[in-house]
């Protein structure tokens, strides 16, 4: 990257995402950092001699030594050309709340009248059982570590806990399921709505990267994150892809405090597999209900959302972020705190 002296390199706080149910990886938010000097070295430094020309006839003094960061790669060249670079290492804590409407596919069931289908029963796709409303509501707490590998490239990884539930509505055509004499043309059984709730209590793993650049008065960043959220007994496994672009101005509030409001767009595609057992109440004249074992794949109905947020850099070590994502059938709220040693 080429720039005139005094231009500030963009640095991005790597807070992911979440998992939505993570989850949310919620995506990182950009910030700008302070210049690295010999009096205020960044973490992970290497001393490099800086030659000084001696006065005529004087004994040459030992060379001065200036501190340069080991990371990012190319950081020394960037500093010598007048760039301001971020402290390379970071640790973040994040809270995410996510609501997402879903589409379903591959619904397979085993259904029995008056009893539960046995464990291990074959699950089949049947035309008389269909899904209706589907919605995921999850909250994610996550720890994330990041490193600026190059002045413009950040890599991050996180681990988190996702809790919540997935609501799925099921419609059963009882006349197609139970034949005469229980259901007959003279007295049809009709349809039964059998909603169920799949609990989410998962461990999430997130990996991603950020490309960022900016000046003294603006920034732009592009982030990509992939999250895998694993459930016990394969009940509610989740896979998420999060791509986001953000841009906005930098506003100095005095001293080292910088406020960075921003807007952007987010693509958050979530795939969830839920399975389990649900029972109805009495549905037939003899008082029997139905037992339903199910497995269904869900995915985000409309994955695009707009972004509005702000990052407050308190110093070269501490920053806070708040962000809201609003889509046609989704919304997500993110809070985070980052420390850079």
């Amino acid at each position: 990257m080429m720039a005139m002296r005094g231009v500030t390199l963009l640095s991005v706080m790597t807070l992911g995402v979440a998992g939505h149910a993570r989850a949310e990886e919620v995506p990182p938010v950009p910030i700008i950092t302070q210049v690295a000097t010999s009096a205020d070295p960044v973490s992970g430094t290497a001393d490099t001699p800086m030659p000084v020309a001696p006065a005529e006839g004087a004994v040459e003094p030992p060379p001065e030594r200036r501190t340069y960061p080991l990371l990012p790669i190319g950081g020394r060249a960037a500093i010598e050309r007048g760039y301001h670079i971020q402290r390379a290492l970071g640790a973040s804590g994040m809270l995410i709340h996510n609501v997402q409407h879903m589409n379903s596919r591959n619904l397979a069931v085993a259904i029995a009248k008056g009893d539960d289908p046995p464990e291990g029963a074959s699950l089949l796709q049947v035309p008389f059982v269909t899904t209706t409303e589907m919605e995921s509501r999850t909250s994610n707490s996550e720890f994330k570590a990041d490193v600026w590998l190059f002045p413009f490239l950040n890599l991050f990884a996180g681990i988190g806990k996702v809790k919540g539930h997935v609501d799925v509505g099921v419609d059963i055509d009882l006349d197609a399921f139970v034949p005469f004499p229980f259901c007959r043309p003279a007295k049809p059984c009709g349809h039964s709505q059998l909603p169920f709730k799949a609990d989410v209590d998962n461990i999430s793993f997130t990996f991603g990267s950020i490309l960022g650049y900016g000046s003294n008065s603006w920034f732009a960043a592009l982030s990509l994150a992939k999250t895998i959220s694993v459930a016990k007994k394969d009940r509610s496994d989740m896979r998420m892809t999060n791509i986001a672009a953000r841009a906005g101005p930098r506003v100095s509030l005095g001293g080292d405090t910088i406020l960075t409001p921003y807007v952007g767009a987010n693509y958050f595609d979530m795939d969830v597999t839920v399975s389990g057992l649900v029972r109805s109440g009495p549905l037939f004249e003899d008082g029997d209900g139905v037992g339903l074992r199910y497995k269904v794949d869900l995915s985000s109905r409309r994955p695009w959302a707009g972004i509005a947020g702000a990052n407050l850099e308190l110093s070269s070590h501490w920053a806070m972020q708040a962000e809201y994502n609003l889509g046609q059938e989704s919304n997500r709220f993110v809070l985070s705190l980052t420390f850079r040693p």
Side-chain angles (χ1 to χ4, degrees), residues 5-6 9 34-38 41-42 66-72 74-86 151:
R5 292 185 61 84
L9 281 182
Q34 307 302 310
V35 72
T37 67
S38 57
V42 296
R66 182 174 179 180
T67 304
Y68 289 98
L70 291 173
L71 289 173
R76 174 177 176 174
I79 293 171
E80 290 179 344
R81 295 179 62 184
Y83 287 103
H84 296 198
I85 64 172
Q86 173 95 342

Side-chain angles (χ1 to χ4, degrees), residues 160-184:
K161 184 71 170 179
V162 183
K163 301 197 75 171
H165 60 267
V166 180
D167 293 322
V168 180
V170 174
D171 180 272
I172 304 174
D173 184 349
L174 298 176
D175 295 290
F177 166 55
V178 180
F180 185 87
F182 297 102
C183 301
R184 52 194 183 274

Side-chain angles (χ1 to χ4, degrees), residues 121-154:
S122 297
L123 303 182
L124 304 173
Q125 296 186 38
V126 292
F128 56 83
V129 179
T130 57
T131 56
T132 54
E133 288 297 318
M134 290 152 288
E135 183 181 78
S136 170
R137 291 179 174 268
T138 57
S139 295
N140 180 29
S141 55
E142 184 169 301
F143 170 80
K144 190 164 294 185
D146 73 271
V147 59
W148 284 97
L149 186 61
F150 296 99
F152 56 86
L153 177 63
N154 184 281

Side-chain angles (χ1 to χ4, degrees), residues 319-338:
M320 298 186 298
Q321 173 210 359
E323 179 177 298
Y324 184 65
N325 293 192
L326 179 62
Q328 194 168 3
E329 296 196 57
S330 66
N331 64 81
R332 182 161 58 260
F333 186 68
V334 182
L335 288 174
S336 62
L337 178 67
T338 293

Side-chain angles (χ1 to χ4, degrees), residues 221-281:
L222 177 67
S223 63
L224 170 64
K226 187 75 176 180
T227 299
I228 299 173
S229 180
V230 182
K232 296 179 180 179
K233 300 181 180 180
D234 195 33
R235 282 183 54 85
S236 303
D237 288 347
M238 300 176 178
R239 299 159 298 280
M240 287 147 284
T241 300
N242 195 334
I243 304 172
R246 297 172 177 82
R250 298 177 60 227
V251 181
S252 176
L253 302 182
D256 293 340
T257 305
I258 298 174
L259 177 65
T260 309
Y262 58 87
V263 294
N266 186 38
Y267 175 84
F268 185 80
D269 183 29
M270 181 176 64
D271 292 298
V272 185
T273 299
V274 296
S275 59
L277 171 67
V278 63
R279 304 176 183 92
S280 74

